[in-house]
Amino acid sequence: MNSQQDRDVLPPQQNIHRQLIGRPVQSALAYFDGFVMSLRSNIIAWLLVWLCGCSVATQEPILPATTEVNLPAVGIFYQQSENQLANWCLQQDNECQLMAVDLNLIARQLENTGLFPLVTQNPGADYEFLLAGVQDDKQIIVDVLLAWQGIPLTTYQYRVPRERQSSFIAEFSKDLQLDVLRDDVFSSGYLAKTLKADDYASDLQVPSQVASFHLSHRLIYNDPFQGSVLTYHNPEFKNDRIEVSIYPIPSSNITDMPTAIAEETDKLRSNLVDFAKQHKLPPLSMTANTAIKWTQQGRQYQGFYLDASILSADTEPFYAAYFFFVEQDKIVRFTTTFPSELAINFVKETLPQMQVPAESVFMAKLRRP
């Protein structure tokens, strides 16, 4: 076996501790890379409207909560030799030995399905197939363990007679593909149930309409750190859009609301500035953080917001507003394609109608292992 392709799978509790304590920089970067990409996608969409007057999106019917359409990138590696299948082989009376499954061929077979954006034998993918193979004089057996960030999710086992060895890889790859699709193992719901993470499909309750804005799309990421995004459109003004992002506070202290929001607004400002510089946009202006507070039905709501704009004599103006709140252990962020004074009423009406999931067992273990 190629030792560089061997992978270890940590027990769930040990891996959870490593994620928060042992790899804080790596975990934070992976989390916020996704945040930046989502943010940049939004800005690009708005700038298309700004530059050519096209609609961001047509009005859509209200959709149920959905996961991302494409399957994620996957890594493919050998399990270490101390796996259950190797131990089973040692106990057999006949000649049973470890078998080096051709990872290159399996990777090509999975790539050819067109289901995965990337199948790699290099570290970095959140999802990994970890393989172990043995053969005796009668059969070939391959165990597959699917892991997410080193946490085991599920296992599969495949057996074929030795006489079908020449066609084994093709059959194995096809069967693995069918099994993971049947079990929906890459969905947010499967991951949430297995990890005991937030179940945004069941526990996130939001209004379907607020004033003239209609909920047109609900996205649930299959990464529990990215949470869920809601999109509201106004059919009377095709370029008006509001996105509401709900995601866990990425720190251990979830009781210090001002600090959590300050960290999020600082990251937002940095990301906006970097994006504007990278794409050589006209000067970007941002306001200071402005406190917002109101009381509704005996409960006080408070947060912060800021405005961003690009005003140039050569182009139409670009506006965006960002509102940040803390609910349960989550950041709730409103992003609008128009200034804050036009969005405040929507925010004040929407937030009290939202039911945000409480802290999950998964996040509690990350924060307090």
Side-chain angles (χ1 to χ4, degrees), residues 149-167:
Q149 292 195 6
I151 304 174
L153 297 181
T154 189
T155 58
Y156 298 100
Q157 187 174 92
Y158 303 92
R159 297 171 180 250
V160 298
R162 280 289 295 271
E163 57 265 26
R164 284 164 50 193
Q165 184 172 3
S166 60
S167 63

Side-chain angles (χ1 to χ4, degrees), residues 95-117:
E95 290 207 14
C96 183
Q97 59 184 355
L98 294 175
M99 180 185 68
V101 185
D102 191 336
L103 297 185
N104 291 322
L105 185 54
I106 294 173
R108 286 200 298 271
Q109 292 277 352
L110 294 177
E111 286 174 348
N112 290 339
T113 66
L115 294 172
F116 301 96

Side-chain angles (χ1 to χ4, degrees), residues 294 301 325 327 332 334 346-354:
W294 76 96
Y301 296 87
F325 301 89
E327 292 287 307
V332 178
F334 293 79
F346 176 92
V347 172
K348 287 185 174 181
E349 187 172 344
T350 304
L351 189 62
Q353 296 186 62
M354 295 178 63

